[in-house]
Amino acid sequence: MVVALCLLLTAQEPPPPEMTTRIVTAHEWVSRVSRNLPDSVWPGFRPDTIPVLYVIRGKGTLLLGWRGELPAGFVAAVSDLREQPAGAGWQPVTDRGAASTGTTLAGRPTAQVVVDSQGIAALVGLTTHEAFHVFETASRQTGKRFGQQENAFLVTSYPIFDSKNEAGMALEGRILEATLSAPNLQRRRALARQFVAVREARHRALGPDLADFEQQAELNEGLAEYALVRSVDLAARQRGFADPAGAAEVGAGKRTGLHKLTEDVTLSIRLRYYATGPALGLLLDALEGPAWKTRLINEDITVQDALADASGYRANERTLRRQAESTFVMRALRAAADSSIAGLRAVRRAQVDSALAAPGVQLVVTVEGRSIGMCGFDAQNLLQVEPGVSLHTRWVQLCAGDVLQATFNAPLVQERNTVRAVVGADSTVKVTNGPDGAVQVESPLVSLRAKNADVARDGRVLTIKIKS
């Protein structure tokens, strides 16, 4: 265990020794738990393999856990101790706006932790929290919940002045607080069922968008905070842990947060899920052990749904569903649906191929780094080709901020940041290049205005690449 570190840097201002010692000690405990107890926080999560930037405000940035040559701007940390911190680097520069988050450094996913007065246990937790966000991002799959962020814009419309909703959430906090001190598994299971009943009733009144916001926030920040609590608890159980009092404070703080879930009106409502998320995770640990984590990923469910299943809340529903599936031969219905969907995919792909094979100029528009939105479309003439790909069969207005406005009166294939359409005979398509990458395309079938764009022509394909 590293207990002290003195960095000797030529012509550089070294980091504060006491603060550096705390950081290195905390980082080593995170790595020790990860190495010695693999998958103990989450299956496949190895924070010892994720580099961490520790931002010391007004002093500089300490990099730990980097593998290979240090990134530009960092100098090697030289210590006179026998045990050197792995992959250590230092630069006497900080970003005043830096926050604890997941980021990238030299193209490599990296956790970032802002350090001030936190103790070792708090730094163990915060390092694990931000490393878990890096893990979540790397695990993200299109169409799956895990690793996706909640729609944070919904905090602007969340009904904080609705006393019924606020009381319901306060009740949820008290129930979860009670589960932490429940005397036995039977009592925890009973409380878990009460929680799900209260939560589902509140969510019906809250509406689907805000209910999804809450559940996704618990998957995103809530599970990262569960990783924080879990890692601190595991570290504190190890012989020689450097900050047992700080670990106890972390646990006590979570209990207090649940008891006062809605009381601190100075804080954003988003911080509530930093309290409910870990409590739900710990309750699931008690009811089901680690199996719930794999099930949550494989079945693409929320933490709330995982708890409903683990507590037996939906046991009657499950029995009735299985009876219906047996009576009406669900296996045959599923096989028929699979066959029908395969046929639909083939039909829609043929429709796309036919639209793009029409004679004339094929216009391809791409916006780098952002989606192309719709300012207007005909819902009755929009067909899904596959997830994320649509076919507009006659008319659509597209927009992407101030860099693209376009109206198409022809079949158009739209993906996230690319559209394709045949826009008329070569003689009818007029392309005008203006200053600073301004482009206009006009034909009887399209009217397009773009900024900061590159134009290229290859045979019948006219490509416009827009830099957002």
Side-chain angles (χ1 to χ4, degrees), residues 167-183 187-200 202 254-255 257-261 275-276 279-280 283 307 311 313:
M169 175 159 275
L171 176 57
E172 291 171 21
R174 298 297 174 88
I175 296 170
L176 289 176
E177 180 193 14
T179 68
L180 299 178
S181 55
R187 180 57 179 162
R188 284 194 178 97
R189 184 171 285 111
L191 288 168
R193 291 172 178 170
Q194 291 178 21
F195 172 85
V196 176
V198 171
R199 168 64 69 87
E200 290 192 347
R202 185 173 66 82
K254 291 303 174 188
R255 287 179 172 82
L258 290 168
H259 189 82
K260 299 181 177 181
L261 191 60
T276 60
L280 290 170
L283 181 54
L307 183 63
S311 66
Y313 179 80

Side-chain angles (χ1 to χ4, degrees), residues 364-368 372 417-420 463-467:
V364 179
V365 182
T366 299
V367 180
E368 295 181 354
I372 297 177
N417 66 338
T418 302
V419 297
R420 296 176 175 85
T463 302
I464 298 176
K465 292 184 177 180
I466 303 169
K467 302 169 187 175

Side-chain angles (χ1 to χ4, degrees), residues 9 62 80 109 132 134 176 195 260 270 320 334 413 465:
L9 304 172
L62 179 64
D80 57 3
F132 193 80
V134 173
L176 289 176
F195 172 85
K260 299 181 177 181
R270 189 170 178 266
L320 293 171
R334 178 59 188 268
V413 180
K465 292 184 177 180

Side-chain angles (χ1 to χ4, degrees), residues 48-391:
D48 60 313
T49 66
I50 298 171
V52 185
L53 286 166
Y54 291 96
V55 180
I56 306 171
R57 293 199 188 279
K59 299 294 183 181
T61 303
L62 179 64
L63 172 64
L64 294 178
W66 189 263
R67 299 186 179 186
E69 184 178 350
L70 289 172
F74 286 85
V75 296
V78 182
S79 171
D80 57 3
L81 298 178
R82 294 178 184 176
E83 199 172 345
Q84 304 291 325
W90 169 256
Q91 63 174 5
V93 176
T94 62
D95 178 358
R96 291 184 178 180
S100 294
T101 186
T103 185
T104 57
L105 178 64
R108 194 177 301 181
T110 304
Q112 179 170 286
V113 175
V114 176
V115 183
D116 42 56
S117 61
Q118 301 102 324
I120 290 170
L123 284 173
V124 166
L126 190 53
T127 298
T128 307
H129 177 113
E130 301 307 341
F132 193 80
H133 280 316
V134 173
F135 169 74
E136 285 180 309
T137 299
S139 304
R140 186 181 299 162
Q141 297 181 44
T142 302
K144 301 293 185 180
R145 286 180 171 271
F146 187 78
Q148 304 295 334
Q149 294 185 344
E150 70 278 8
N151 181 2
F153 285 105
L154 289 174
V155 299
T156 64
S157 57
Y158 192 87
I160 60 171
F161 301 107
D162 182 336
S163 60
K164 183 178 179 180
N165 183 71
E166 290 294 285
M169 175 159 275
L171 176 57
E172 291 171 21
R174 298 297 174 88
I175 296 170
L176 289 176
E177 180 193 14
T179 68
L180 299 178
S181 55
N184 53 52
L185 194 60
Q186 182 180 3
R187 180 57 179 162
R188 284 194 178 97
R189 184 171 285 111
L191 288 168
R193 291 172 178 170
Q194 291 178 21
F195 172 85
V196 176
V198 171
R199 168 64 69 87
E200 290 192 347
R202 185 173 66 82
H203 274 184
R204 283 193 293 272
L206 193 59
D209 290 342
L210 288 169
D212 182 72
F213 161 75
E214 290 197 343
Q215 293 179 82
Q216 198 61 47
E218 283 173 342
L219 279 169
N220 179 27
E221 295 294 353
L223 288 184
E225 201 70 0
Y226 163 80
L228 178 157
V229 172
R230 179 80 173 138
S231 67
V232 171
D233 180 59
L234 289 168
R237 296 181 192 179
Q238 307 303 303
R239 180 178 299 174
F241 181 61
D243 188 15
E249 288 180 8
V250 169
K254 291 303 174 188
R255 287 179 172 82
T256 300
L258 290 168
H259 189 82
K260 299 181 177 181
L261 191 60
T262 61
E263 292 182 18
D264 193 342
V265 296
T266 66
L267 299 177
S268 166
I269 60 102
R270 189 170 178 266
L271 294 175
R272 296 174 178 180
Y273 314 107
Y274 285 65
T276 60
L280 290 170
L282 293 173
L283 181 54
L284 279 161
D285 283 344
L287 296 179
E288 192 176 346
W292 71 270
K293 302 169 188 178
T294 302
R295 187 163 60 84
L296 181 139
I297 301 295
N298 292 342
E299 297 179 16
D300 190 31
I301 58 177
T302 67
V303 185
Q304 175 181 322
D305 286 333
L307 183 63
D309 292 338
S311 66
Y313 179 80
R314 297 200 176 117
N316 189 52
E317 173 190 322
R318 189 180 301 111
T319 298
L320 293 171
R321 187 176 67 248
R322 287 174 178 171
Q323 289 175 352
E325 290 175 352
S326 175
T327 300
F328 297 99
V329 196
M330 180 62 175
R331 184 178 301 176
L333 294 174
R334 178 59 188 268
D338 288 341
S339 176
S340 177
I341 289 171
L344 177 62
R345 286 180 184 272
V347 168
R348 292 289 165 82
R349 180 51 59 187
Q351 287 178 284
V352 167
D353 292 343
S354 176
L356 297 181
V361 176
Q362 184 181 130
L363 177 62
V364 179
V365 182
T366 299
V367 180
E368 295 181 354
R370 66 188 297 178
S371 298
I372 297 177
M374 293 180 290
C375 292
F377 71 102
D378 185 340
Q380 293 186 189
N381 289 281
L382 185 150
L383 304 175
Q384 287 193 49
V385 178
E386 56 186 60
V389 181
S390 299
L391 172 63

